[in-house]
Amino acid sequence: GMRETASPATLPADTLKADILWHVLYSLGRDNERPDRQTVFRALALALRDRLVEKWIASQRAIYAKSSKRVYYLSLEFLPGPFLRQNLIALGLEKEARDALTELGFTLDDVAGEEWEPGLGNGGLGRLASCYLDSMAALRLPAYGYGIRYAFGIFHQLIRDGQQVERADNWLRGGQHWEFERTHYMHPVRFYGSVREWVDEQGRLRHTLEGGSTVMAMACDMFIPGYRNDYVLNMRLWAAKSSREFEFSFFNTGDYIGAVEKKIRDENISMVLYPNDEAPEGKELRLKQQFFLVSATMQDIVRRFRKKGVAWDQFPRKNVIHLNETHPAVAIPELMRLLVDEELLPWEEAWYICVRTFAYTNHTVLPEALEVWPEELFRKVLPRHLQIIYEINRRFLHDVRRQFPHDPGLLARVSLIHEGEQRFVRMSHLAIVGSFSVNGVSAHHSNIIKESIFNEFYKIFPERFNNKTNGITPRRWLRQCNPTLAWLITEHIGTEWLTDLEQLKKLEPYAESAGFQKAWMEVRLRNKQKLAEYIHAKNGITILPESLYDVHVKRFHEYKRQLLNILHVITLYNRIRRDPDAGIVPRTFIFGGKAAPGYYMAKHIIQLINAVGYTINTDPRVGDMLKVVFLQNYCVTLAERIMPATDLSEQISTAGMEASGTGNMKFALNGAITIGTHDGANIEMLEHVGDENLFLFGLLSHEVEDLRRQGYNPRTFYETDSELREVLDMISGGYFSPGDPHMFRDIVESLLNHGDRYMVLADFRSYAYRQQDAARAYLDQPGWARRSMLNTARMGFFSSDRSMGEYARDIWGVEGV
Ligand code: DL6
């Protein structure tokens, strides 16, 4: 075939078309005379996978040759987004692909549209993990991503009659063109059973797990290329496969159907991603997923370590295991089990290895999001691990008692076990005690960790706590999603910004240039036109590309306060109704985001937004002054359309609650102005872009706390602010739900009578004022252009390359290969 002529190590790019046709025939089994678009997409993906795997093998060899310390990034979630464009950009094959596709009668846009993104994460945490893999590859770090290959990712969201409806996301049905399934290479993972204690010939007390059931973990590898550096990392996702022994035992008793049922039950482990963001569900299957990832990954790590043939005490010098949130924290007792039960190391030595190996990132301070497991459930699923946790805890509390002898209550507060009517394992305590590094994800959040939620651990282990402010990859979030703006930038300052985002500073002098401002705003307007076309096609709503696009996209959660936004929308509506010539800047409000299927209030707020949108969009008095759009199924692909077309970015969480935010960075990098609270990374963004280029408002974190302590009374705001009162009365009076006037009453109730936990009413007036400032600023288009450019120019710090550089240097102690 065509293959034999090309040496595998150096496939010249001009064979891309030939490779596509080769894969159409030999890999996909289709006639390559006239392949359809989906077939061409898959063949192109396979042709790129060929190139990726070559570079991956070479990268692995380089890591091995250098005998580098390896970084293992463990995460229950990854949100990689579509791969095609990213891979083409990284491999430098965009033009070749365009040419090849043109010859085949397609455009790259059409073919890229065939890709269905893997939604293997909920939101910020999973997307951060994917930005980090991209940067680890760019920096040539000796790193591996480890996660789960869920058969069903985050649900597909539809909006029906204004309400969220969930549909299964069967992302694998199109076939797996990017990955390699390692079908003949699996690790056993064991759950349940009971622990037998016995004494061996040397008189040592031993622990052996007996019984239980075993599931196999099959590796599926996906490749993450570095930007034009010939370096490729592996994201290894585990899929559950039934174990053979068990099938046979059923078959031997003649229970054929039973055997098959067992197989299906086992393979359920990697079936579905839990769709909860910031509130774990506490289900047995979820704990099994966590251990499934951990056990399989630890076997891989140990296998690679053993190849080196060095002693166990060298383990922390050769490996660092990073825990993305507490979800994989059971890796700590699992490593202890391997070292103590299987390698027969003394406990003290094993523990010394452990606390030099693990590092933990916390991503949330919401009390309901801190993971705990009922002790009984833990004992049932992982009996030996629970024993090990007890022993870790016993020794830890012993040390704490010695260090703080005069604070008896302290022990109960820091214990790994919460003792009350029901007992729980506290995963964050386990992660802190078992790690040498604990970090938050913005300066503000890291301070909150030290000063409040983990303050007592900070006193015990001050040297462990540090900050690593989040970042985003400029390859996807500027170069890929906004090619015209990227091109305009490159024309003026060259291409270095792609791997050194601080280079964007060189744009600053152009901020005053009328010519550049004009070019900048033309690119932005074209992006806004494209989004208008998409909205028209999807929602049937016509919007003005010249209107101010005010965008709020992220998961729906009360703390993120989409409700505050819609209260302001209604306020503007009322002003227009009162005075159609009020001189209000025409605005398009765009919302997007999923709510956890069991989160009633979040779903209800989605419904309210849609109801308000319907009322406003069909009110002839409003016309082009105001439009409200809800875009269904917010995901990475959709974010890529939205970021380049946004004027005003809504980052309005209750201060102290958003750990960092990363959407805020994506918008600003693309030239949007932020309206936001003093929260998460907004605060650092303010420091970088300057307060004339970002609209902050509202209570500060400590004011939120003070107010809460003093007794917050939301009704006073209702009583003293007539505009606010009018808005709330309309909602509870059925203005937006004429068919069912009581429909949204409970939302207003939650604000007025149930304490308004997220202080929506307390921040309403300062938000409305700041929105007025934003509108006024938008009227001055040259001023807006300058602000927009300065936002982009000053976002260099928020590159995930900077974040990963800091992790590599300060936490992991690794360098590029
Ligand atoms: O660190 C990534 C991302 C932050 O930007 C968000 O502010 C934060 O809400 C999110 N946290 C979670 C917590 N999940 N759990 N458990 O998603 O992390």
Side-chain angles (χ1 to χ4, degrees):
M2 300 169 203
R3 256 317 150 75
E4 275 126 55
T5 54
S7 135
T10 55
L11 282 170
D14 59 13
T15 66
L16 198 51
K17 181 186 163 198
D19 279 358
I20 292 170
L21 293 175
W22 191 93
H23 279 295
V24 168
L25 182 62
Y26 295 108
S27 305
L28 300 171
R30 308 287 297 255
D31 186 344
N32 61 13
E33 279 293 292
R34 278 170 190 281
D36 61 39
R37 202 157 64 186
Q38 168 69 207
T39 305
V40 167
F41 161 69
R42 287 166 63 178
L44 173 56
L46 290 168
L48 296 178
R49 190 183 68 169
D50 293 344
R51 287 151 175 82
L52 292 169
V53 71
E54 287 169 357
K55 294 181 199 296
W56 176 64
I57 299 278
S59 307
Q60 283 302 300
R61 286 185 188 154
I63 296 174
Y64 192 80
K66 274 198 75 177
S67 190
S68 312
K69 179 176 185 179
R70 289 172 155 99
V71 177
Y72 293 100
Y73 196 85
L74 272 59
S75 181
L76 268 284
E77 303 189 14
F78 287 94
L79 262 184
F83 287 103
L84 179 60
R85 283 175 197 279
Q86 235 3 127
N87 289 343
L88 287 174
I89 289 171
L91 295 172
L93 289 173
E94 238 185 336
K95 184 178 180 312
E96 285 77 352
R98 274 181 207 285
D99 294 346
L101 293 173
T102 307
E103 286 180 39
L104 295 169
F106 297 96
T107 68
L108 179 55
D109 281 351
D110 288 344
V111 170
E114 292 293 317
E115 183 166 3
W116 193 262
E117 67 170 87
L120 310 185
N122 273 287
L125 173 137
R127 182 54 230 174
L128 184 77
S130 285
C131 279
Y132 279 180
L133 289 185
D134 182 85
S135 287
M136 287 185 230
L139 298 176
R140 308 177 63 87
L141 298 183
Y144 302 80
Y146 273 93
I148 294 181
R149 179 165 151 287
Y150 304 104
F152 294 91
I154 188 69
F155 61 85
H156 186 96
Q157 178 197 53
L158 300 176
I159 301 297
R160 288 284 144 79
D161 300 326
Q163 284 179 276
Q164 168 174 300
V165 174
E166 300 94 23
R167 290 277 180 275
D169 160 60
N170 189 5
W171 72 287
L172 290 173
R173 79 181 158 323
Q176 294 94 62
H177 24 265
W178 295 115
E179 69 182 12
F180 281 105
E181 280 195 11
R182 313 291 184 182
T183 46
H184 48 252
Y185 166 65
M186 303 204 202
H187 295 305
V189 174
R190 212 145 143 227
F191 305 98
Y192 309 118
S194 55
V195 182
R196 182 167 69 91
E197 286 191 1
W198 53 288
V199 178
D200 67 13
E201 309 87 70
Q202 277 90 40
R204 285 177 301 215
L205 181 63
R206 302 280 294 273
H207 298 85
T208 306
L209 190 67
E210 295 195 328
S213 81
T214 300
V215 176
M216 305 306 287
M218 177 180 79
C220 299
D221 292 341
M222 292 192 163
F223 300 120
I224 313 294
Y227 179 73
R228 302 204 180 173
N229 65 1
D230 288 331
Y231 192 73
V232 173
L233 294 184
N234 185 7
M235 174 170 69
R236 176 158 285 184
L237 303 180
W238 300 107
K241 294 281 158 193
S242 194
S243 73
R244 275 174 179 237
E245 308 93 271
F246 263 79
E247 285 172 45
F248 281 133
S249 73
F250 276 91
F251 286 129
N252 291 342
T253 62
D255 186 5
Y256 168 71
I257 296 294
V260 176
E261 282 177 345
K262 160 76 171 62
K263 179 175 160 65
I264 291 169
R265 267 202 308 281
D266 285 347
E267 296 183 358
N268 267 343
I269 290 180
S270 61
M271 199 58 78
V272 60
L273 166 75
Y274 278 88
N276 306 310
D277 194 62
E278 310 266 2
E281 210 175 339
K283 290 279 162 53
E284 179 169 331
L285 183 62
R286 170 72 178 183
L287 181 58
K288 289 175 75 175
Q289 290 182 338
Q290 296 183 349
F291 183 66
F292 176 73
L293 163 63
V294 159
S295 167
T297 305
M298 292 306 299
Q299 292 179 63
D300 248 15
I301 296 174
V302 167
R303 177 180 54 79
R304 269 186 218 117
F305 175 70
R306 281 229 175 86
K307 276 203 264 184
K308 294 186 213 276
V310 295
W312 276 107
D313 62 2
Q314 297 299 302
F315 190 80
R317 284 192 50 226
K318 292 292 173 196
N319 303 285
V320 54
I321 302 177
H322 204 95
L323 306 174
N324 195 26
E325 251 306 318
T326 57
H327 315 147
V330 63
I332 294 166
E334 172 64 1
L335 182 59
M336 286 302 287
R337 190 191 64 77
L338 286 167
L339 296 175
V340 173
D341 291 2
E342 296 189 9
E343 301 297 326
L344 305 182
L345 263 58
W347 181 279
E348 292 75 10
E349 267 175 52
W351 186 245
Y352 189 84
I353 292 170
C354 243
V355 289
R356 274 157 194 75
T357 298
F358 290 101
Y360 153 57
T361 299
N362 170 277
H363 294 266
T364 179
V365 297
L366 294 192
E368 65 270 35
L370 295 180
E371 233 189 346
V372 295
W373 288 105
E375 194 185 66
E376 270 320 299
L377 175 63
F378 211 104
R379 190 190 329 277
K380 175 180 159 202
V381 179
L382 301 168
R384 178 58 184 146
H385 295 81
L386 185 64
Q387 290 181 339
I388 291 171
I389 289 171
Y390 286 157
E391 183 60 14
I392 295 172
N393 198 33
R394 191 185 66 75
R395 289 165 183 256
F396 166 62
L397 293 180
H398 177 84
D399 292 345
V400 174
R401 199 179 291 114
R402 274 218 306 239
Q403 199 186 347
F404 300 95
H406 306 299
D407 188 352
L410 177 65
L411 297 185
R413 293 194 300 272
V414 298
S415 172
L416 307 198
I417 307 293
H418 166 88
E419 312 206 21
E421 244 168 71
Q422 218 193 335
R423 290 161 58 96
F424 293 95
V425 182
R426 293 160 159 165
M427 299 305 274
S428 57
H429 294 199
L430 173 64
I432 296 170
V433 171
S435 300
F436 66 87
S437 168
V438 177
N439 76 281
V441 290
S442 71
H444 186 61
H445 169 234
S446 294
N447 284 333
I448 291 174
I449 285 179
K450 289 197 285 191
E451 283 155 23
S452 62
I453 61 163
F454 297 142
N455 176 258
E456 297 186 308
F457 287 99
Y458 176 56
K459 288 182 183 145
I460 299 169
F461 305 119
E463 70 292 344
R464 293 188 186 184
F465 286 77
N466 66 94
N467 172 245
K468 296 289 169 281
T469 298
N470 282 171
I472 57 169
T473 169
R475 272 77 62 184
R476 183 177 292 271
W477 296 114
L478 182 51
R479 170 66 184 82
Q480 188 208 132
C481 74
N482 202 344
T484 46
L485 197 72
W487 178 240
L488 181 64
I489 292 169
T490 296
E491 267 186 330
H492 288 79
I493 65 168
T495 57
E496 276 168 56
W497 61 271
L498 279 153
T499 48
D500 176 11
L501 201 60
E502 295 281 4
Q503 296 289 327
L504 290 178
K505 280 250 149 56
K506 291 184 183 157
L507 287 173
E508 281 195 26
Y510 296 101
E512 304 301 332
S513 143
F516 194 83
Q517 285 184 2
K518 189 161 162 282
W520 187 266
M521 293 307 265
E522 277 170 8
V523 166
R524 294 186 52 74
L525 184 62
R526 268 201 305 276
N527 291 339
K528 291 173 70 179
Q529 281 161 348
K530 278 209 241 164
L531 186 60
E533 285 161 22
Y534 179 82
I535 287 171
H536 187 80
K538 290 282 166 179
N539 293 39
I541 301 171
T542 305
I543 64 172
L544 270 188
E546 293 75 20
S547 65
L548 192 170
Y549 286 15
D550 182 330
V551 180
H552 204 163
V553 290
K554 50 181 81 251
R555 282 299 285 252
F556 269 78
H557 198 295
E558 286 164 281
Y559 87 80
K560 295 178 187 282
R561 298 201 296 191
Q562 287 91 353
L563 181 55
L564 175 59
N565 184 337
I566 201 71
L567 297 186
H568 170 252
V569 173
I570 299 169
T571 307
L572 292 184
Y573 174 54
N574 290 342
R575 288 179 193 167
I576 293 171
R577 287 195 301 144
R578 260 192 300 279
D579 176 8
D581 308 314
I584 286 170
V585 173
R587 283 212 209 204
T588 303
F589 287 91
I590 298 170
F591 291 87
K594 296 173 185 178
Y599 189 170
Y600 168 79
M601 193 48 91
K603 291 174 105 169
H604 208 40
I605 291 168
I606 291 178
Q607 195 180 4
L608 173 64
I609 290 169
N610 280 297
V612 171
Y614 182 80
T615 306
I616 291 178
N617 298 342
T618 55
D619 187 332
R621 291 169 295 185
V622 175
D624 283 335
M625 297 304 291
L626 211 54
K627 287 278 185 276
V628 181
V629 174
F630 192 104
L631 283 174
Q632 68 184 17
N633 199 42
Y634 183 61
C635 55
V636 176
T637 307
L638 185 51
E640 290 172 0
R641 291 182 184 276
I642 293 173
M643 297 297 162
T646 295
D647 296 304
L648 193 61
S649 150
E650 298 275 351
Q651 308 299 334
I652 61 175
S653 52
T654 314
M657 296 193 152
E658 189 70 272
S660 163
T662 44
N664 46 3
M665 302 168 189
K666 294 165 198 165
F667 282 113
L669 181 62
N670 283 278
I673 319 288
T674 303
I675 183 162
T677 46
H678 298 263
D679 204 14
N682 295 353
I683 298 170
E684 284 157 272
M685 285 170 59
L686 174 79
E687 286 161 13
H688 282 85
V689 306
D691 59 8
E692 48 319 336
N693 301 311
L694 184 145
F695 301 106
L696 288 198
F697 70 92
L699 297 170
L700 307 180
S701 304
H702 69 87
E703 293 171 333
V704 167
E705 273 182 34
D706 291 348
L707 191 53
R708 205 162 273 154
R709 219 170 301 125
Q710 290 156 16
Y712 167 52
N713 181 7
R715 290 203 81 94
T716 54
F717 295 97
Y718 174 81
E719 278 148 17
T720 56
D721 189 324
S722 59
E723 256 192 330
L724 174 62
R725 186 164 60 244
E726 182 185 12
V727 168
L728 295 177
D729 288 346
M730 284 164 78
I731 297 172
S732 55
Y735 190 97
F736 303 104
S737 53
D740 179 1
H742 293 178
M743 181 175 282
F744 299 118
R745 213 175 238 191
D746 50 358
I747 294 180
V748 176
E749 286 274 295
S750 81
L751 298 176
L752 293 180
N753 301 330
H754 302 299
D756 182 16
R757 185 176 161 202
Y758 301 95
M759 304 220 167
V760 172
L761 301 193
D763 274 345
F764 173 80
R765 188 42 58 187
S766 88
Y767 178 55
Y769 276 137
R770 219 60 183 119
Q771 280 285 15
Q772 232 163 350
D773 293 340
R776 220 171 288 130
Y778 191 73
L779 285 176
D780 164 21
Q781 281 285 299
W784 191 273
R786 180 169 39 77
R787 287 190 171 92
S788 167
M789 288 167 56
L790 289 176
N791 265 273
T792 302
R794 296 174 179 174
M795 285 301 290
F797 177 78
F798 299 96
S799 168
S800 45
D801 297 343
R802 187 268 313 150
S803 312
M804 281 294 93
E806 291 178 3
Y807 276 84
R809 189 190 63 211
D810 303 338
I811 300 180
W812 302 332
V814 298
E815 287 180 350
V817 176

